Structures are given as structure tokens and as C-alpha cells.
Amino acid sequence: MVLAELGSKITNALKKLNKADVVNEEVLKACLNEIVTALLQADVNVHQVKKLRDNITMQFKLQEEEGADLRNLIKRAVVEELSRMLETEKKPYQPKKGKSNVIMFVGLQGSGKTTTCTKYAYYYHKKGWRTSLVCADTFRAGAFDQLKQNATKVRIPFYGSYTETDPVAIAEEGVRQFKKEGFEMIIVDTSGRHKQESELFDEMKQVAEAIKPDEIIFVMDSSIGQACYDQALAFRKAVDVGSVIITKLDGHAKGGGALSAVTATESPIIFIGTGEHFDDFEEFEAKSFIKRLLGLGDIEKIVNIVKEAVPLEDQPKLLEKISSGNFTLRDMQSQYKNILKIGSFSQFLSFLPGVGTSLMGKMNEKESIARVKKFICIMDSMTNEELDGIKPLNPSRILRIAKGSGALVQEVNVMLEEYKRLKTMIEKMGKSKLAKGNDLANLARNPGQVMGKLKNIVDPRMLQQLGGMDNLMNMMKEVGKMEGMGDMANMLKMFGKK
């Protein structure tokens, strides 16, 4: 069962609680039966499933006599218990900026380890770290070529050898060289292996002893289901696995088996791979992952992502412009650059309650990002006066901008039409005063008034995909409880009418 299907089945089971006139032990039992069946079909370990059922039943019995809100109690308990399955007491290694952090990757053949090494390096590279890659895999033909190609695509320095056959020597030399050059993140890719290959396990131990890594990361392939458990245990016995990355969670895999097998390593999951692209890689937080799996979203995560994309010092300035309706091409350029900082837009949308990742397919996302980059390139070819609206964009200027950016005149005109659309919407927001944080903060007190304003701004098709006005109202209420209300204005622009 695909993880999305698992989430859908558990969500449907929880929805039946709302339909029940009275939530009693019989209703709970029926709900848990559906949840248990879904988890077992997803290949989650049977002992963990039993523990989840027993814990939720016990919580229900303890609270039943106290007259608690049993519907919400069960929902919270399900989220908590599923999250607990994916958590360990052990804390992951925290790389330190300004020093050389040596990270060694281990895993099975075919687990996507080499690609994951590149994703990991690229993740830190985008955050401003000096990252590097070392290929110590001499067992698999073409391993160095693959790492070399990956590293070249993301412009990260690499080390390897076509002639040296000793992986220990390659690992030692690569780490020594990158340490000498002051790299902060040195990622060592080792040979993929199987539990039965004792020689390769001995080799893995020798590499670890030679380079003395700060962290050993076990890469786990979600597609092999409960077989992960034995493999994870074997690696845990061989080397000191510090943390886990799970790959291929985007495919038709029984991902529950891999997720529950993490207990065998007694190590935390730190990232998950959700696709083939180097950006299809996200930091793992158990509760956020489970809430999104169940369609509950994670509003706090959205706010934090937008805060990272839009510097705090820029927010008051942006809000002032939105509230006055004064929106220039320079502002659009700035906001498009902020959108690129968000990273995967489909991943961003998955944090919205009731939305998930179905709103934007991978192909649509790729096309949208390419379009944003093209528009930024066009605006980079404009003068300061043109960006600030001081000088009008007549046909001769548009022709010059097209030539300077390598774009067609039609593409420049499309970008200008997009600007006019956004400017019109910003003016509407300014007139409605929706951009002011107080409106969002007071949503619970005046929901009808605020949502009426939103209805005039948000594209009806997008509103339908967001689960309707009721779902949008719930999302806004959650945001209204948080600081940084201005961030919501940026998000609303993404959903504007076309």
C-alpha cells in the first residue's frame, strides 16, 4: 500500500467518529479495527500496531469517565502514537558550521545511497555550507561515474579514483584533502552491501575506523517493506549508525515497513527522499509527517518556511506596500526570488490541511519553477528606473530587455501581464486591508467579515482545491494564533485570481 493510500484509509476511519451520534467503546473499536488493518496492509510491524491499539484504548478508558472530548482525544492519540513509532530517544548529530564534519553513508545496494549522498550535500550547499563528496565505493561498476555526474550537476567538489581499488585508501585521502581545504561537510559514499556479505561489512568497518566519521547515516529503501528490519539490525551491529534516511517514499512501496524498521537501528530518521530530483529531499519531523499523511497539514511549518524565505526585516516594508497597493516590478522580482527559496512547491502545499501533494504534480511544479526563473532573468535585464516604474516599458525597451535576457518579446509581454495581474490583486488586498495582521489575528472574532474579503481575492478554482471556504477558514484561524501574520499575505499571492 502506498503511504498516501495509508493516510487516506486512516483519515476515513477517523471521519466516521464525526458521524457517530455518541463516541463509545464500540465506536472506538470499529475505528481502531480499520486503522489496524490499514497499518498491517502497509507492512507496519505487527507488534508496533498492537502497541498503538492498546495505548489508544487505554487513553480512551482513562478519559471516558471524565467527560473529555472523545472525538478529538482519539484523533490526537492516533497522531501521537503514529508519531511515537517514528521517534527514538537518541538525538541526531548536529553538524557544526566552521569545522570539518565527516559524514559516512552506508546502506544496501540499490537503496539510492549515492543519489542520497548528493541530495544531502546539495541540501547543505544551498544553506551556504562548503560541501564535498568522496566516492569510496570500489565494488559497484560505475559508482564513481555516477557520483561524479551527480556532483557536477549540483556543482559540488568530489574525490574518487579510477585506478585505486582500496576503498579505505580512497576514503582516507579524500577526507584528508577536503579537510586541508577547509570544507565543512565531507560526505563519504561507501559500497552498497547485503547482510550476507561479511567481507563488505568488514570493509565498511575498516573505512569507519580509518576516517573516524562524526556521523554514520544508514540509507534505507522503503520499497522492501518489513525486510528492512533484518537489514537495519545487521548494519546497527556492524557500525554505530547515528541516523537514518529513508528513500523512495514517492513510489508504490510499502513504506510502513521501512518506517517501523527504524526501531532496529535505535536511531532517528533525519531526512526522507520523495523523488528522483535533488530537491526531492526533506527534513523529517515525525509529528509533521504524520499530520500531513492524515491530511491535517502543518500550518506552523508553513509559517516557518515563509519566514525563512522572507527576511524579517523585509516584512514590514512588504506589508506597507501591499496595504498601499504600491507594487512594482522590483517587488515582484524580490517575491519570485523568495518563492525559489521555499524549495519544492508541492512539498510546501502538502503542509496545507486537506490539500496534500495532489494539488500540483511534479511536471507542473517543474514547469512553474522554470517559468519563475525565466521571469527573474527577464527582470534582471531591466534598468533600475524600469524596475521601479519610473520609466514606462515601451516596445523598444521591451525589445532590448528580450535581447538582453535571451527571451522572446512574447515572453517579456507574458511576464508583464503576470505583473499586471499581481498588481491588481495587491491593490484589492490593500483596499480590503487584508494585508494587515490584525485582520488575521481577529479572525476568530469576525470570521464572516474576514472570509468575505478572502472570497473576493482567492481564485475560486484554487479555493475548491483547498477544501472550500470552511477548510480555508480553519487554516487562517491556525495562522491567526501565530506571530508573523504578514507572512500570510505572501502565501495568499500564490493563490490569487488569474
Side-chain angles (χ1 to χ4, degrees), residues 126 279 305 338-346 365 369:
K126 288 190 298 182
D279 275 325
I305 289 172
N338 289 335
I339 287 172
L340 292 182
K341 290 179 191 175
I342 287 173
S344 170
F345 197 54
S346 60
E365 175 174 359
I369 294 299

Side-chain angles (χ1 to χ4, degrees), residues 254-266:
K254 289 189 174 183
L259 293 169
S260 60
V262 170
T263 56
T265 66
E266 298 178 354

Side-chain angles (χ1 to χ4, degrees), residues 153-374:
K153 285 178 183 176
V154 293
R155 299 180 181 180
I156 290 174
F158 59 90
Y159 179 88
S161 174
Y162 286 114
T163 56
E164 178 61 68
T165 58
D166 182 5
V168 178
I170 294 174
E172 275 189 306
E173 177 57 26
V175 170
R176 186 194 65 76
Q177 179 177 308
F178 285 127
K179 275 187 174 181
K180 186 178 179 182
E181 293 174 9
F183 280 85
E184 297 168 305
M185 192 67 75
I186 304 169
I187 297 146
V188 181
D189 185 19
T190 62
S191 301
R193 60 211 75 227
H194 295 291
K195 187 179 67 170
Q196 295 81 4
E197 294 170 341
S198 57
E199 289 182 7
L200 286 174
F201 265 80
D202 289 339
E203 175 194 295
M204 182 174 67
K205 292 178 186 176
Q206 290 167 16
V207 171
E209 288 170 3
I211 65 174
K212 294 179 174 53
D214 297 293
E215 173 79 321
I216 296 178
I217 296 176
F218 175 48
V219 179
M220 185 185 290
D221 179 353
S222 69
S223 66
I224 63 176
Q226 287 203 21
C228 282
Y229 190 88
D230 291 337
Q231 301 287 8
L233 198 59
F235 276 90
R236 180 70 181 85
K237 289 178 179 177
V239 291
D240 184 19
V241 173
S243 49
V244 175
I245 294 176
I246 298 180
T247 63
K248 305 179 187 178
L249 277 174
D250 60 318
H252 299 282
K254 289 189 174 183
L259 293 169
S260 60
V262 170
T263 56
T265 66
E266 298 178 354
S267 302
I269 306 171
I270 54 170
F271 289 95
I272 53 176
T274 56
E276 297 177 1
H277 301 292
F278 297 126
D279 275 325
D280 297 331
F281 193 62
E282 65 175 88
E283 205 167 341
F284 183 82
E285 292 176 34
K287 186 169 285 189
S288 176
F289 177 82
I290 292 298
K291 287 172 73 176
R292 287 157 55 204
L293 186 67
L294 302 183
L296 301 175
D298 191 344
I299 292 294
E300 189 171 355
K301 188 83 171 179
I302 284 180
V303 173
N304 289 336
I305 289 172
V306 176
K307 277 183 178 178
E308 283 186 17
V310 186
L312 285 171
E313 61 271 18
D314 293 345
Q315 289 178 23
K317 197 184 303 180
L318 174 65
L319 285 176
E320 186 180 338
K321 282 181 173 287
I322 291 174
S323 61
S324 65
N326 180 22
F327 189 72
T328 65
L329 278 165
R330 189 185 298 279
D331 295 322
M332 187 170 89
Q333 181 189 44
S334 175
Q335 292 313 299
Y336 274 4
K337 287 179 179 178
N338 289 335
I339 287 172
L340 292 182
K341 290 179 191 175
I342 287 173
S344 170
F345 197 54
S346 60
Q347 178 187 325
F348 177 80
L349 289 174
S350 74
F351 293 110
L352 296 176
V355 176
T357 55
S358 60
L359 193 60
M360 180 182 286
K362 291 287 180 187
M363 189 55 67
N364 288 338
E365 175 174 359
K366 194 174 180 181
E367 291 171 357
S368 297
I369 294 299
R371 178 185 167 100
V372 167
K373 287 180 177 178
K374 170 67 78 174

Side-chain angles (χ1 to χ4, degrees), residues 14-69:
L14 292 173
K15 281 180 179 177
K16 290 181 180 179
L17 292 172
N18 296 329
K19 295 178 182 178
D21 295 330
V22 179
V23 177
N24 52 30
E25 201 165 338
E26 186 179 339
V27 171
L28 172 67
K29 186 177 179 181
C31 176
L32 287 179
N33 281 343
E34 288 189 36
I35 292 173
V36 164
T37 301
L39 290 170
L40 292 175
Q41 287 175 347
D43 232 8
V44 178
N45 183 278
V46 64
H47 298 295
Q48 289 182 307
V49 174
K50 183 180 182 303
K51 187 176 179 182
L52 174 141
R53 179 180 212 152
D54 292 344
N55 286 349
I56 294 174
T57 302
M58 182 177 69
Q59 287 186 54
F60 180 86
K61 288 180 177 178
L62 288 173
Q63 297 292 325
E64 187 177 20
E65 295 178 2
E66 297 181 13
D69 183 348

Side-chain angles (χ1 to χ4, degrees), residues 54 72-74 149 179 280 300 312 380 457 494-495 497:
D54 292 344
N72 285 329
L73 168 72
I74 295 170
Q149 288 169 9
K179 275 187 174 181
D280 297 331
E300 189 171 355
L312 285 171
D380 282 343
I457 295 172
M494 301 173 192
F495 303 138
K497 288 185 177 179

